[in-house]
Amino acid sequence: MRVLLFLCLLLVSFATAKQQFSELQYRNAFTNWMIQNQRHYASEEFATRYNIFKANMDYVQEWNSKGSETILGLNAFADITNQEYRANYLGTPFDASSIVGTETEKIFAAPAATVDWRTKGAVTPIKNQQQCGGCWSFSTTGSTEGAHQISTGNLVSLSEQNLIDCSGSYGNDGCNGGLMTLAFEYIINNKGIDTESSYPYTAETGTVCKFKTANIGATLSSYNNVTSGSESSLESAANVNPVSVAIDASHNSFQLYSSGIYYEPACSTTQLDHGVLVVGYGSGSSGSGSSQNGSSQSESSQSESSQSGSSQSGSQSGSQSGSQSSGSQSGSQSGSQSGSQSGSGSSYSGSQSGSQSGSYSGSQSGSQSGSQSGLLQSGSGNYWIVKNSWGTGWGMEGYILMSKDRNNNCGIASMASYPKV
């Protein structure tokens, strides 16, 4: 009996030693986070989510205490484990090991010192995939919107739903996955893609293709693949057009990214599970997380309350092929949450203000701390400016600065392409 009691006390002591904050600090941080992120849970789920939040809060604190150029925060993914994040927001990685470093390097244009297509009016506002595996469609519309604006001077938001509903015969699978190059081929052969306003996003795979020639917002003639694994080739391509890229987004650090230049030593250059858009690059100790010159980062018609990730799978030969898919936070985690039990005893809601003493001031929830008029401090060095499709509540108002010229970190140059009008 004494031995059992000793072991129990030892386990309690070990668990306490692993925690970096007091229970009151955890509780108040969780309460404030739930109110800000409008969450609610059934009573039987509350304890699980609270403990996961505490673990993520510890992870954020430990990471940030090391002075990394990558700053983490308690964003909308702070109540899920990394395993849940991968399963629900990412997917089976695409293995690019057979193509990286196998091509002669292609240089598309002489590179400028810095590029930011947002300042040139070639980037639409941050969008949100919601509960549909549509990362490939968002990346495709992003680069196509850029190509159309650069060619015509007109920025037109294009329809992801058009691609999701209508490009199945090209190898895409709607909300279950797809690939940017296959979507480019659809747009080329279809002689256009409809506008967002005429063919709005539903976050579901439609049973009928509703494309109408009268509603075409842009056309393409071809596309180019960046030399796999070459950041120099990607840099030159980014001088021509915003570039669709695939990356490894599987780590806790990406899940909880807040600001700064993202560098993950454990990132893979070949296991790629998320499609995003490179809209430029820069160098120095700061970078703009918000768009400029009229390309504001408000949600278009998508809700900011849900976020999604994506995955890729398949093979690549000549023109890149395979599939990307993405999940999103389920509707059951919308609404409001808090660290206090409601009067009914059956659910938890955001009813506390979190004003109790001992609150955690460094939680960096919601839009994250560290911003001044859209300019967020980041670590020194070179970076890619990357547009995500998880809403403005993630990262730097929907963007992430990813390490540039650091051995193709996270595979940003492993599977990249851009369209031509």
Side-chain angles (χ1 to χ4, degrees), residues 309-342:
S310 67
S311 69
Q312 294 181 313
S313 65
S315 62
Q316 176 172 334
S317 174
S319 65
Q320 297 161 345
S321 64
S323 70
Q324 291 184 329
S325 67
S326 66
S328 73
Q329 195 159 4
S330 68
S332 64
Q333 293 185 0
S334 64
S336 64
Q337 306 168 336
S338 98
S340 65
Q341 192 168 10
S342 67

Side-chain angles (χ1 to χ4, degrees), residues 19 22 139 190 220 294 329 352 400 408:
Q19 295 186 342
S22 70
S139 181
N190 192 56
L220 296 177
Q329 195 159 4
Q352 290 187 353
I400 180 172
N408 189 25

Side-chain angles (χ1 to χ4, degrees), residues 19-29 50 54 57-58 357-360:
Q19 295 186 342
Q20 300 187 38
F21 301 95
S22 70
E23 192 63 28
L24 183 58
Q25 287 176 310
Y26 286 122
R27 187 179 305 156
N28 287 340
Y50 177 48
K54 288 165 64 176
M57 186 168 163
D58 286 343
S357 62
S359 62
Y360 171 53

